[in-house]
Amino acid sequence: MIEIKNLKKVYSGEEKDVEALKGIDLKVEHGEIFGLIGPSGAGKSSFIRCLNLLEEPTAGQIIVDGQDLTALNTKELREARKELGMIFQNFNLLNSRTVADNVAFPLEIADANKEEINDKVSELLELVGLADKADSYPSQLSGGQQQRVGIARALANDPKVLLCDEATSSLDPETTHSILDLLRDINEKLGITIVLITHEMEVIKEICTKVAVLEAGKVVEVGDVIDIFTKPEKNVTKKFVQRIINANVPEELLSRVTVENPEHGRLIKICFVGDSASEPLVSDLVHNFQIDANILYGNIDKIQGIPFGTLIIELTGDLDQIESAIDCLHESDNVRIEVITDEESVSIHY
């Protein structure tokens, strides 16, 4: 659906050039809700603006449905952009126009006739839950309602792709949740591919099917959301995940004897994914290997409806049996194990 090849963006500066994007390669499949997350200054805004050529890339290709947007002339690009709807962080509504007129604006530019415009506006306002606000002005609406108008406007030309630039960062958590529900509903009902830029891992967790992590202009990690949450590889990804799922060993456990004196036992962290979250692994360890297991910390969450749990356990007893138990855990499907042996590893790694 969308293929990005070696995308680069360099901004000229008075003292030196700024390389915002450093050769990004990504693929987004049809119907996906694809998230791109990164810290401030990572290049997220440059990426989304290059994606629909509001910013001209310095190098690279942006291919949508087999068409290379970077190779189009001005007229061809204007037509191609109709396939790319966009919603913004600050809504960007026309305050002098009513809700209906804001939604109608792209259709007017496309020279649609009045009847077509009226029918389409009514359909879209019904879709976003604002059928009763057609004659209101943006200043009369809440932030969430304004963003719904922005979504309706972005859908006016029946795009194949919806680009979301920090679409919920100006909203409170409850309103954010309702907007994400709306985007998910649009994705399912209309089959629109959604590319979502955010700095909020909660947004990625709630709605996205795949995610790419951007750092200093480069994609450092990409994959299914469940995999990124349960086994992040890069430090920047781990930091984002820990904002949602606390995977650090609590401070009060740092002085455990099994960390300072590993000959007395082992301190381990177990991550459970999917059905394994409900399996009696700890009791099986105690029964099968004749060791003691003291649960020190536990947490269970859900990611895309899939259970994900974390346990920190102190194992004591015969060390050979403990090592055999740990080897057995390593062989379990959908279970990830880490042995905590010193202070350098107490911040959990996946």
Side-chain angles (χ1 to χ4, degrees), residues 241-279:
V241 169
Q242 287 170 7
R243 294 178 185 177
I244 306 301
I245 299 173
N246 182 10
N248 285 330
V249 180
E251 290 290 331
E252 61 269 21
L253 302 185
L254 301 189
S255 60
R256 295 297 306 194
V257 66
T258 48
V259 174
E260 297 180 351
N261 299 291
E263 67 274 12
H264 293 166
R266 294 290 184 269
L267 193 63
I268 67 170
K269 186 215 56 175
I270 308 175
C271 282
F272 308 83
V273 182
D275 293 338
S276 63
S278 60
E279 294 176 2

Side-chain angles (χ1 to χ4, degrees), residues 86-88 91-94 102-106 124 148-157:
M86 188 161 181
I87 59 176
F88 303 88
F91 320 134
N92 288 7
L93 302 180
L94 300 170
N102 266 279
V103 178
F105 188 62
L124 290 172
R148 287 172 180 267
V149 177
I151 293 170
R153 180 184 59 189
L155 296 174
N157 284 317

Side-chain angles (χ1 to χ4, degrees), residues 111-178:
D111 292 326
N113 64 52
K114 188 173 182 180
E115 183 177 354
E116 289 174 334
I117 292 174
N118 289 339
D119 289 346
K120 192 65 176 179
V121 169
S122 296
E123 173 190 333
L124 290 172
L125 290 181
E126 184 71 33
L127 177 66
V128 301
L130 293 178
D132 60 335
K133 301 293 184 180
D135 297 325
S136 300
Y137 286 87
S139 61
Q140 298 172 305
L141 304 180
S142 68
Q145 290 172 329
Q146 290 185 59
Q147 191 58 285
R148 287 172 180 267
V149 177
I151 293 170
R153 180 184 59 189
L155 296 174
N157 284 317
D158 297 317
K160 296 178 181 177
V161 179
L162 184 61
L163 307 177
C164 305
D165 185 10
E166 299 278 8
T168 60
S169 62
S170 296
L171 305 175
D172 62 75
E174 184 176 349
T175 306
T176 291
H177 183 75
S178 70

Side-chain angles (χ1 to χ4, degrees), residues 61-77:
Q61 295 175 287
I62 298 168
I63 302 168
V64 180
D65 266 1
Q67 185 177 47
D68 184 359
L69 302 188
T70 62
L72 303 181
N73 61 38
T74 302
K75 182 179 179 181
E76 292 169 335
L77 181 58

Side-chain angles (χ1 to χ4, degrees), residues 93-108:
L93 302 180
L94 300 170
N95 291 323
S96 62
R97 295 174 67 111
T98 65
V99 165
D101 289 339
N102 266 279
V103 178
F105 188 62
L107 297 167
E108 294 170 1

